[in-house]
């Protein structure tokens, strides 16, 4: 493997369409910047099931473990809805996350000025917003034991268990502090230490990690319910928010929608550092395979393009190039280009997936 190895898994539905636009940017880096990625492409999801009878072949899993970063499009579609649970397209994605032990899920909420009117909040509350939610992804109440539905006397009882070890909290806290150092240098940790012992431990461990190794980063704590309120009231007060699996699930969805369309939202999931010092990493748009628009050239490729920008920043230490890609996206939006999901203003004709990708590449050219 070379230094910049990337496994691309376009997946199903609009996955291959949006990934084709990222390939244009990867090619641009090769021809215009002399940055060559060692790209391998493979199957995941329904298309892998069609070919191999499994949504993620063992060989593909092995490749994912060996590369510097994995970039995934989307999986799923109505054709696969009636498959057995064990071979559903989503199982391929879950296997990747589990076997790569991707414990930190990064969900940025970034509002491009040109799209501030799309938010359900007032323009001045969201314009220029740039926050990052770090959600613990592999532990907590979605995994804790005991769990199940049990008989208790004459009725049933449903049980899930919130459980966090110190080391699980410590590693996600470290991920958040490291990220903050590459951004606005502020972390707000959210839990419910007022009513949950796991929250008390969470607050203690985050505080200890901070004092020991990250005293240069500004740290604050907030109860997660108050945090939800503050996210709607004045989200720009935050830089990095670190929280557990359940609260992160809710808070990251709420924060994401501050910024408008699903077609705009990237994500990253990071694991432990590899021998290279880089974290194991999977980058993917938040949206699914959008079967309702697949094959029509209507998909917005920006979420996938911004996921690639995250890979540049967090896997390849190319923060300035990540800025360049994000600025190119900002420019095409400021120029008025809109895919169909971003329509709202009168008199705007939507551009196709390919036209949006070409415009981003042209904006990259203009940045040189
Ligand atoms: P979805 O995200 O695919 O689509 C929801 C709505 O948003 C649709 O109207 C769609 O057209 C629109 N949309 C999504 N991405 C868009 C884009 N880039 N540009 C323009 N419009 C976009 O969610 P869904 O409809 O609930 O699920 C469809 C399939 O995707 C299901 O099989 C589901 O299981 C799967 N899914 C996969 C992932 C993933 O791969 N990570 C995530 C969510 C859903």
């Amino acid at each position: 493997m070379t230094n910049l190895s990337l496994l691309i898994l376009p997946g199903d539905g609009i996955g291959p369409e949006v990934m084709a636009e990222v390939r244009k940017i990867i090619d641009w880096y090769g021809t215009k910047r002399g940055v060559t990625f060692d790209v391998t492409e493979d199957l995941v999801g329904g298309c892998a099931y069609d070919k191999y009878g499994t949504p993620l072949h063992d060989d593909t899993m092995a490749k994912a473990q060996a590369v510097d970063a994995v970039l995934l499009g989307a999986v799923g579609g109505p054709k696969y809805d009636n498959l057995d649970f064990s071979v559903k397209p989503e199982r391929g994605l879950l296997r990747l996350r589990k076997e790569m032990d991707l414990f930190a899920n990064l969900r940025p909420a970034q509002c491009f000025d040109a799209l501030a009117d799309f938010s359900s909040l007032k323009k001045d509350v969201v314009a220029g917003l740039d926050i990052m939610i770090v959600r613990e992804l592999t532990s907590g109440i979605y995994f804790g034991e005991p769990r199940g539905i049990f008989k208790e006397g004459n009725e049933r009882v449903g049980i899930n268990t919130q459980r966090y070890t110190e080391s699980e909290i410590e590693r996600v806290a470290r991920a958040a502090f490291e990220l903050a150092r590459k951004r606005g240098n502020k972390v707000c940790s959210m839990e419910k230490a007022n009513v949950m012992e796991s929250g008390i431990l969470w607050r203690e461990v985050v505080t200890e990690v901070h004092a020991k190794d990250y005293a240069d980063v500004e740290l604050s704590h907030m109860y997660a319910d108050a945090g939800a309120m503050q996210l709607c009231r004045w989200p720009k007060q935050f830089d990095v928010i670190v929280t557990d699996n359940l609260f992160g699930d809710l808070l990251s969805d709420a924060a994401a929608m501050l910024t408008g369309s699903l077609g705009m939202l990237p994500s990253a999931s990071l694991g432990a550092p590899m021998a290279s010092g880089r974290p194991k990493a999977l980058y993917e748009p938040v949206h699914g395979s959008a079967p309702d628009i697949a094959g029509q050239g209507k998909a917005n490729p920006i979420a996938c393009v911004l996921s690639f920008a995250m890979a540049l920043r967090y896997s390849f230490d190319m923060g300035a190039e990540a800025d360049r890609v994000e600025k190119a996206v900002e420019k095409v939006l400021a120029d008025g280009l809109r895919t169909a999901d971003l329509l709202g203003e009168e008199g705007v004709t939507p551009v196709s997936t390919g036209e949006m990708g070409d415009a981003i590449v042209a904006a990259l050219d203009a940045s040189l």
Side-chain angles (χ1 to χ4, degrees):
M1 291 289 165
T2 66
N3 240 358
L4 303 173
S5 56
L6 188 60
L7 174 64
I8 288 191
L9 302 172
D12 307 316
I14 62 168
E17 297 171 48
V18 295
M19 197 63 83
E21 305 314 308
V22 174
R23 291 301 286 255
K24 290 178 185 170
I25 295 175
I26 291 173
D27 291 346
W28 182 86
Y29 268 99
T31 52
K32 298 289 172 73
R33 302 287 292 156
V35 179
T36 310
F37 293 89
D38 179 7
V39 179
T40 316
E41 192 165 313
D42 214 329
L43 303 177
V44 68
C47 58
Y49 174 80
D50 287 340
K51 183 154 182 201
Y52 303 120
T54 168
L56 188 74
H57 196 280
D58 289 345
D59 290 348
T60 315
M61 187 66 239
K63 285 180 201 166
Q65 295 282 20
V67 290
D68 293 319
V70 181
L71 184 62
L72 186 139
V75 296
K79 181 180 167 193
Y80 308 105
D81 280 352
N82 296 324
L83 286 182
D84 186 71
F85 182 70
S86 63
V87 289
K88 275 193 181 291
E90 292 75 9
R91 301 299 296 174
L93 182 50
L94 294 177
R95 182 176 173 200
L96 278 167
R97 288 182 185 152
K98 184 163 188 292
E99 294 193 18
M100 293 170 76
D101 197 14
L102 303 171
F103 58 82
N105 183 223
L106 278 51
R107 293 270 302 264
Q110 202 175 3
C111 186
F112 293 99
D113 284 352
L115 298 183
D117 284 331
F118 275 81
S119 174
S120 50
L121 296 188
K122 289 196 193 91
K123 190 169 179 170
D124 67 318
V125 175
V126 292
L129 178 74
D130 181 9
I131 62 181
M132 176 74 80
I133 302 209
V134 180
R135 164 191 172 193
E136 199 289 328
L137 199 61
T138 51
S139 186
I141 199 162
Y142 294 154
F143 296 92
E145 297 285 345
R147 62 181 298 164
I149 299 174
F150 304 98
K151 194 90 179 146
E152 211 174 77
N154 289 331
E155 61 175 354
R156 292 174 302 155
V157 53
I159 296 180
N160 291 89
T161 303
Q162 167 86 332
R163 182 180 189 278
Y164 271 108
T165 63
E166 286 181 287
S167 53
E168 287 167 344
I169 301 168
E170 177 174 344
R171 64 185 188 172
V172 75
R174 284 187 181 279
F177 288 126
E178 292 288 339
L179 272 172
R181 279 184 175 157
K182 294 182 181 172
R183 300 169 40 93
N185 217 35
K186 278 201 308 191
V187 171
C188 181
S189 170
M190 294 189 187
E191 26 56 18
K192 292 276 289 174
N194 48 344
V195 286
M196 295 170 77
E197 283 74 10
S198 58
I200 295 174
L201 184 69
W202 183 282
R203 190 175 284 218
E204 284 176 6
V205 173
V206 171
T207 305
E208 285 160 16
V209 171
H210 175 255
K212 188 162 171 274
D213 290 323
Y214 298 98
D216 56 303
V217 180
E218 189 184 321
L219 171 66
S220 59
H221 303 273
M222 212 177 261
Y223 298 138
D225 50 343
M229 207 175 67
Q230 291 298 332
L231 266 176
C232 300
R233 194 185 70 84
W234 191 244
K236 284 188 248 184
Q237 70 187 279
F238 299 111
D239 176 27
V240 174
I241 293 172
V242 62
T243 188
D244 74 13
N245 203 341
L246 174 63
F247 296 141
D249 197 359
L250 309 183
L251 293 170
S252 63
D253 266 20
M257 285 325 290
L258 299 176
T259 67
S261 166
L262 201 50
M264 296 288 301
L265 300 171
S267 79
S269 301
L270 306 182
M274 300 181 281
S276 61
R278 294 178 173 136
K280 289 225 162 135
L282 172 74
Y283 300 88
E284 56 180 324
V286 169
H287 63 71
S289 60
D292 54 334
I293 56 165
Q296 300 168 38
K298 287 185 182 168
N300 184 348
I302 291 178
C304 203
V305 168
L306 293 177
S307 300
F308 175 66
M310 290 184 83
L312 291 175
R313 178 170 288 119
Y314 299 119
S315 282
F316 299 120
D317 272 329
M318 294 166 67
E321 296 304 327
D323 287 347
R324 185 191 297 280
V325 173
E326 288 167 0
K327 288 213 170 71
V329 168
E330 201 171 336
K331 179 174 186 312
V332 300
L333 294 172
D335 288 348
L337 261 74
R338 303 281 184 268
T339 41
D341 56 309
L342 299 178
L343 291 184
E345 299 123 306
E346 273 177 40
V348 179
T349 315
V351 297
S352 68
T353 310
E355 285 166 336
M356 181 59 95
D358 290 342
I360 294 170
V361 170
L364 287 171
D365 267 335
S367 75
L368 294 178

